[in-house]
Amino acid sequence: MSKEISTQAENTHVRTSGKGKTYDMAYIGIFTVLIAICSWISIPMQIPFTLQTFAIFLAVAVLGGRRGTLSVVVYVLLGAIGVPVFAGFTGGFGIIMNNTGGYIVGFIFTALAMWLMESLFGRKLWVQAISMILGLFICYAFGTVWFMLVYMRNTGAVGLMTVLGWCVIPFIIPDAIKIVLALVLSNTLKKPLASIIGEAQHHLGAKD
């Protein structure tokens, strides 16, 4: 009898784990697509900007560190192999290796920073706010160093303040607005999403 109970428990664990992985893949896929869509949306200003960073913040805030980071990694990898998921419907390894490619790779470090903060301090609103700011700073830093190295190799010397004026300073206020929007929207979406997941798991569990 005890062996039968143990076997049933193991089978239930396998089914639950399988469903969990299916849910993970589904949500990672959805947010990967969301990041791509936000990358294609260009806000017309003196220096146009996209909603990429907003989608990065939202993915990690809603899905959590692990799944959110995986969605960002999948997005970057898709773009690197040529799928046109980057801004302007572009893709390819050449985009990554270009002057601004470091900011795209920096999205992964943004997600990792948010994941680390979540692991250390939980998913409270203030933690997510600080993690987004920290992640954005890391992305700026990594992307700026990358830009300078590639630019100096291909074109010539360039000063730090010049690069910041091109690639960082014009985007600080828009990125700050994206952080606020991501915090508000993620806080709104968390409870309904958790409820949907719980109901789906309960429904599938009842079928078993």
Side-chain angles (χ1 to χ4, degrees), residues 52-118:
Q52 271 176 319
T53 46
F54 163 76
I56 303 296
F57 296 144
L58 189 65
V60 182
V62 172
L63 296 183
R66 183 179 63 84
R67 291 186 299 188
T69 300
L70 283 173
S71 68
V72 177
V73 170
V74 171
Y75 165 75
V76 174
L77 288 177
L78 285 174
I81 64 174
V83 181
V85 294
F86 295 151
F89 295 92
T90 58
F93 194 65
I95 300 295
I96 297 288
M97 297 308 295
N98 207 343
N99 293 350
T100 57
Y103 295 103
I104 296 174
V105 178
F107 293 151
I108 297 175
F109 294 105
T110 296
L112 287 171
M114 293 180 66
W115 187 3
L116 176 62
M117 289 288 289
E118 176 188 305

